[in-house]
Amino acid sequence: VQLQASGGGLVQAGGSLRLACVASGTILSFNVMGWYRQAPGKERELVATISSGGNTNYADSVKGRFTISRDNAKNTMYLQMSSLKPEDTAVYYCNADIRSLYDGYKNYWGQGTLVTVSS
């Protein structure tokens, strides 16, 4: 199983970006999926999570600006980011609890995608 994150880039403050995370492999089911981020010199932090049932949870710093969603049929999770601020600049990582055919139930990380917000 692999997670592939994409959609990062350079955007001006106030702009928007949509990140995507595609899971590939012999996937049987997903549980909780989420986005994390790590800014330069800082620890990785939770941005948002979404359960298999669609329940969402957001860091206070992104509430009202970011929206997490998932399309189980496409094995894809999204993060719609709006009203971006320079402090949102970070490498964004996707994470998922996945049950696969050969590896059972495991937690996986994507490779990260860089989001840079200019002031």
Side-chain angles (χ1 to χ4, degrees), residues 3 7 10 14 35 43 46 57 76 80 105 107 113 115:
L3 297 179
L10 174 63
W35 289 95
E43 294 186 352
L46 173 70
N57 179 57
T76 303
Q80 178 67 47
Y105 197 68
N107 183 263
T113 184
V115 173

Side-chain angles (χ1 to χ4, degrees), residues 24-77:
S24 60
T26 52
I27 296 167
L28 299 178
S29 62
F30 295 88
N31 194 2
V32 177
M33 304 180 75
W35 289 95
Y36 293 73
R37 66 186 182 187
Q38 187 166 18
K42 295 187 177 182
E43 294 186 352
R44 191 173 298 188
E45 63 176 2
L46 173 70
V47 176
T49 61
I50 184 166
S51 72
S52 57
N55 294 319
T56 58
N57 179 57
Y58 295 93
D60 288 342
S61 59
V62 306
K63 280 181 181 176
R65 301 187 299 121
F66 290 11
T67 301
I68 188 171
S69 62
R70 61 195 287 172
D71 185 338
N72 290 333
K74 295 182 178 180
N75 290 350
T76 303
M77 173 179 63

